[in-house]
């Protein structure tokens, strides 16, 4: 979502005549769009601010945006005196005003969560450099998992309107986008009304987006197990443009830990859900998020997390060491886990995840599939495209083929990407 927010800020400032600096070193303004989810991300922001001052002592105007800005507010400019602007994730449509105010002594701070939505104040989407785009359809979270800052930094769940989403999708597609990834902290909690006033969930939105002819692929992330409706599961079996990939974080494979996390789903419930999704779309690739070392997690409870990785057989996963976040209930819980224990558990978890990822990729060798060519590869003449299951495929193809959907034969697989050969037929 920070990528999306960054693009929107750039588009908004572009409308006011600003352009991207060719070289970051001679920028007049630098916006650090930040993440607060783990402590490491916060530390990085402060070290980046320090690096902004040039050898001759000059520096650009510095804005800190995003969730660190929201959580720390004016504290940021006290800790880092060179910061001129602090703007939260729900207030960045006011950046032009803040820029005008900045540089007059005190930092300009805006961490309001205004009733008016920023989306209404942002300009229409401009032509995108790539054939894939993100589109935020909802923001915020009402679930309050005990480890997580998101409900405090992004605010309560808010769904954008049906019409606004469709307009933005059409503008992206008119600008050449072939694949849209719908975004939200709990994207599948999206609710709204269609243009006839009928109540709709995200499945209805997906079905409507699928009617846009030139849009070829639809994805969404991140979804929450509790918001995985029957309609959305059915859509995976019925809507061809909805890609067979589901990122469905479980966090832990142990019920006591899930309860302490306030996840409000059990291991059994999660596994049943996966069965139903697979019944609707047997080839679906699954992805997840895991936290190791939540306060009080025993070795046996951690072993349950290794078990669920094997039980599901994920195509890929994100895994994190628990990071205590100020103001969240878990930060004050007894039984905080020592760093070396967390390190060890993370290594073992990642080994299990990698085993499945390697197996999933290897199973595609010899298959013919369709990829959307997204960008140049590392070597001249090489492009990178994605399979329906979100794997990166390297192929030999000319630059002008970016944006094409082509059939490839997968000839080899590594842990993180595949190699493909272009088939003779061009896909629809
Ligand atoms: N709403 C989504 C996840 C959004 S946050 C869901 O609930 O599934 C993205 C991921 O960051 C989470 O899934 C979690 O694995 C991780 N995360 C959040 N807070 C964390 C913390 N305090 N320490 C470590 N990882 C954390
Ligand atoms: Fe954070 Fe996701 Fe839990 Fe919300 S549901 S509190 S975003 S982990």
């Amino acid at each position: 979502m920070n990528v999306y927010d960054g693009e929107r800020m750039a588009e908004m400032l572009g409308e006011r005549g600003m352009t991207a600096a060719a070289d970051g070193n001679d920028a007049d303004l630098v916006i650090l769009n930040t993440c607060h989810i783990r402590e490491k991300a916060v530390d990085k922001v402060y070290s980046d601010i320090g690096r902004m001052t040039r050898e001759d002592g000059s520096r650009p105007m510095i804005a800190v945006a995003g969730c660190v800005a929201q959580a720390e507010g004016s504290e940021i400019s006290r800790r880092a005196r060179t910061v001129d602007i602090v703007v939260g994730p729900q207030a960045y449509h006011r950046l032009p005003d803040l820029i005008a105010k900045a540089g007059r002594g005190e930092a300009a701070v805006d961490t309001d969560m205004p009733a008016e939505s920023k989306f209404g104040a942002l300009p229409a989407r401009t032509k995108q450099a790539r054939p894939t785009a993100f589109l935020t359809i909802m923001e915020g979270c009402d679930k309050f998992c005990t480890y997580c800052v998101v409900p405090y930094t992004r605010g309560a769940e808010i769904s954008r309107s049906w019409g606004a989403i469709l307009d933005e999708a059409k503008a992206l597609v008119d600008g050449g986008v072939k694949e849209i990834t719908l975004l939200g902290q709990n994207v599948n909690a999206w609710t709204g009304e269609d243009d006839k006033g009928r109540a709709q969930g995200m499945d209805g939105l997906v079905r409507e987006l699928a009617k846009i002819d030139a849009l070829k692929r639809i994805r969404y992330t991140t979804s929450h197990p509790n918001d995985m409706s029957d309609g959305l599961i059915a859509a995976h079996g019925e809507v061809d443009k909805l890609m067979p990939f589901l990122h469905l974080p479980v966090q832990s494979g142990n019920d006591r830990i899930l309860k302490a996390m306030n996840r409000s789903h059990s291991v059994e419930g999660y596994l049943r859900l996966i069965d139903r999704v697979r019944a609707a779309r047997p080839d679906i690739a699954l992805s997840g998020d895991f936290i190791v070392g939540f306060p009080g997690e025993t070795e046996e409870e951690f072993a349950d997390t290794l078990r669920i990785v094997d039980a599901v057989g994920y195509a890929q996963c994100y895994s994190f060491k628990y990071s205590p976040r100020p103001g969240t209930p878990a930060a004050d819980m007894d039984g905080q886990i020592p760093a070396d224990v967390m390190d060890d558990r993370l290594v073992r978890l990642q080994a299990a995840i990698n085993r499945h990822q390697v197996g999933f990729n290897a199973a595609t060798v010899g298959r013919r599939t369709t990829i959307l060519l997204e960008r140049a590869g590392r070597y001249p003449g090489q492009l990178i495209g994605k399979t329906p299951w979100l794997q990166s495929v390297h192929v030999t193809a000319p630059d002008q083929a970016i944006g094409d959907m082509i059939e490839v034969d997968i000839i080899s697989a590594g842990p993180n990407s595949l190699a493909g050969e272009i088939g003779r037929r061009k896909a629809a």
Side-chain angles (χ1 to χ4, degrees):
M1 189 172 282
N2 275 12
V3 171
Y4 175 85
D5 288 341
E7 287 169 1
R8 301 297 264 147
M9 287 184 230
E11 286 167 350
M12 181 177 52
L13 298 177
E15 223 196 11
R16 285 163 175 81
M18 298 190 204
T19 51
D23 174 349
N25 279 326
D26 47 58
D28 299 314
L29 164 71
V30 172
I31 302 173
L32 296 163
N33 195 23
T34 62
C35 177
H36 199 240
I37 201 128
R38 284 170 293 276
E39 197 173 4
K40 220 162 124 186
V42 181
D43 293 342
K44 199 163 176 298
V45 177
Y46 284 105
S47 86
D48 283 350
I49 294 170
R51 289 194 297 114
M52 292 290 140
T53 303
R54 303 180 186 107
E55 269 173 24
D56 64 2
S58 67
R59 61 172 182 85
M61 180 180 282
I62 301 174
V64 177
C67 289
V68 175
Q70 189 64 38
E72 309 218 339
S74 51
E75 182 59 30
I76 296 181
S77 50
R78 270 194 288 276
R79 192 168 148 187
R81 300 240 159 236
T82 54
V83 170
D84 303 290
I85 296 168
V86 178
V87 61
Q90 305 307 349
Y92 67 69
H93 55 299
R94 297 170 174 171
L95 252 177
D97 286 348
L98 294 166
I99 291 169
K101 263 192 237 153
R104 300 185 202 150
E106 292 270 290
V109 179
D110 191 343
T111 51
D112 279 2
M113 296 214 180
E116 97 258 10
S117 154
K118 69 182 171 230
F119 293 105
L122 297 172
R125 300 306 304 267
T126 52
K127 189 170 165 30
Q128 303 295 301
R130 285 191 186 176
T132 57
F134 291 129
L135 199 177
T136 294
I137 64 165
M138 67 78 67
E139 269 192 69
C141 181
D142 298 336
K143 295 192 167 60
F144 291 92
C145 299
T146 53
Y147 51 80
C148 185
V149 288
V150 169
Y152 311 97
T153 55
R154 284 271 169 181
E157 275 176 17
I158 300 173
S159 293
R160 292 182 68 193
S161 76
W162 176 271
I165 295 166
L166 287 167
D167 285 350
E168 189 169 330
K170 284 174 192 152
L172 287 168
V173 172
D174 286 347
V177 165
K178 301 257 176 71
E179 173 183 298
I180 290 179
T181 300
L182 306 176
L183 295 182
Q185 275 78 31
N186 290 297
V187 70
N188 55 344
W190 183 88
T191 55
E193 278 180 2
D194 63 18
D195 47 1
K196 301 197 176 60
R198 290 172 301 204
Q200 292 284 358
M202 207 191 76
D203 52 314
L205 197 56
V206 165
R207 288 176 197 273
E208 192 67 21
L209 287 166
K211 292 181 191 160
I212 303 175
D213 210 32
L215 178 64
K216 301 298 180 197
R217 290 177 159 189
I218 303 168
R219 302 182 186 275
Y220 60 96
T221 201
T222 295
S223 36
H224 192 284
N226 292 4
D227 295 313
M228 211 57 217
S229 67
D230 293 346
L232 185 55
I233 294 173
H236 271 286
E238 292 163 11
V239 181
D240 288 343
K241 290 182 182 180
L242 183 58
M243 290 294 101
F245 185 94
L246 176 62
H247 181 61
L248 196 67
V250 66
Q251 315 297 354
S252 162
N254 177 271
D255 281 338
R256 192 192 73 83
I257 294 291
L258 288 177
K259 199 150 190 277
M261 287 177 163
N262 192 32
R263 283 295 291 181
S264 61
H265 57 73
S266 64
V267 171
E268 192 48 42
Y270 179 84
L271 291 174
R272 271 205 310 271
L273 185 56
I274 299 278
D275 286 344
R276 285 169 51 222
V277 173
R278 279 187 165 142
R281 180 78 204 224
D283 69 336
I284 200 157
L286 291 158
S287 160
D289 288 351
F290 289 95
I291 297 175
V292 301
F294 183 81
E297 184 188 65
T298 64
E299 177 55 32
E300 290 72 39
E301 288 165 339
F302 168 68
D304 287 339
T305 295
L306 295 177
R307 270 180 216 113
I308 201 171
V309 169
D310 288 339
V312 174
Y314 292 97
Q316 59 148 78
C317 284
Y318 299 96
S319 49
F320 312 103
K321 286 184 273 188
Y322 167 71
S323 172
R325 308 309 297 126
T328 60
D332 297 323
M333 284 180 187
D334 292 338
Q336 301 285 326
I337 305 292
D340 58 331
V341 176
M342 283 208 254
D343 287 338
D344 172 64
R345 288 182 188 168
L346 188 67
V347 167
R348 284 188 285 154
L349 176 61
Q350 291 184 340
I353 290 168
N354 283 344
R355 209 163 11 87
H356 288 284
Q357 185 171 325
V358 166
F360 184 84
N361 287 344
T364 55
V365 176
R367 264 172 104 163
R368 174 166 288 193
T369 187
T370 303
I371 63 170
L372 168 59
L373 292 170
E374 291 184 10
R375 62 192 165 93
R378 198 187 305 166
Y379 304 107
Q382 189 187 56
L383 296 185
I384 298 177
K386 291 264 168 65
T387 69
W389 308 280
L390 207 63
Q391 299 147 295
S392 292
V393 184
H394 299 261
V395 292
T396 303
D399 277 0
Q400 59 269 28
I402 290 180
D404 285 355
M405 306 268 293
I406 55 163
E407 277 197 348
V408 294
D409 294 309
I410 305 300
I411 51 172
S412 68
N416 299 312
S417 66
L418 311 174
E421 240 169 34
I422 297 181
R424 263 177 244 115
R425 282 173 290 140
K426 204 171 174 203

